[in-house]
Amino acid sequence: MEGGNAFYTVRWEPLPNLAQDLIVPPLAVLMPLALASKLFLVMVFGLIAGGAIWLNRVATGAWRVWPLLAFLLLYNRIFLWGFVNYLFGIGVALGGIALWLSLEPRRSWVRVLALVGCGAPLLFQPHCRSWVLRAGYPGG
């Protein structure tokens, strides 16, 4: 065996913390890699800010100025440390909670189908902690 082949094996299995690894390579086929990575970061910021705004709209029933404060918190220590998959998951979790609340008047099986069928696998890929955040939401 050559190199590290004696110590490493390839095991294909779904792992958390792979959002960037699943989104950026297909984008890199269409554009330069640096631009694809920057687009992913813009997507992270858009998910967090949009999720906060949408969640506030659904929870209060009106458009307010307060969720715009989320823009002040986008550039934070977690982002500087490079945990962009976690931040992507937080944005998806905020959107999932807002979706759950917006589907409140509908039948319960529609909500369960929308969020368990789509939301849980979608949240598992960015980061396990965002999946736990969504699972810990009351009624989820």
Side-chain angles (χ1 to χ4, degrees):
M1 295 189 176
E2 293 182 31
N5 290 341
F7 303 106
Y8 298 102
T9 60
V10 175
R11 289 188 340 203
W12 295 102
E13 59 187 46
L15 296 172
N17 207 17
L18 292 177
Q20 187 173 11
D21 299 323
L22 293 175
I23 295 173
V24 173
L27 288 176
V29 172
L30 304 172
M31 61 189 72
L33 181 60
L35 185 61
S37 296
K38 290 176 185 177
L39 186 62
F40 179 77
L41 295 178
V42 169
M43 193 183 319
V44 168
F45 290 153
L47 280 170
I48 292 175
I53 292 169
W54 187 25
L55 182 58
N56 184 34
R57 168 72 170 109
V58 171
T60 63
W63 294 104
R64 306 203 187 272
V65 179
W66 294 110
L68 296 178
L69 291 175
F71 285 100
L72 296 175
L73 303 174
L74 290 178
Y75 193 71
N76 55 33
R77 181 82 53 193
I78 296 170
F79 176 72
L80 290 177
W81 285 338
F83 295 119
V84 290
N85 289 325
Y86 173 72
L87 293 173
F88 182 86
I90 292 299
V92 172
L94 287 171
I97 293 169
L99 178 63
W100 180 267
L101 291 177
S102 67
L103 293 175
E104 188 74 29
R106 307 225 194 292
R107 295 184 178 151
S108 63
W109 66 268
V110 173
R111 292 185 316 181
V112 170
L113 181 66
L115 291 176
V116 172
C118 299
L122 189 65
L123 278 174
F124 180 74
Q125 283 310 119
H127 204 281
C128 265
R129 288 191 182 227
S130 59
W131 183 77
V132 171
L133 170 73
R134 171 59 196 101
Y137 179 73

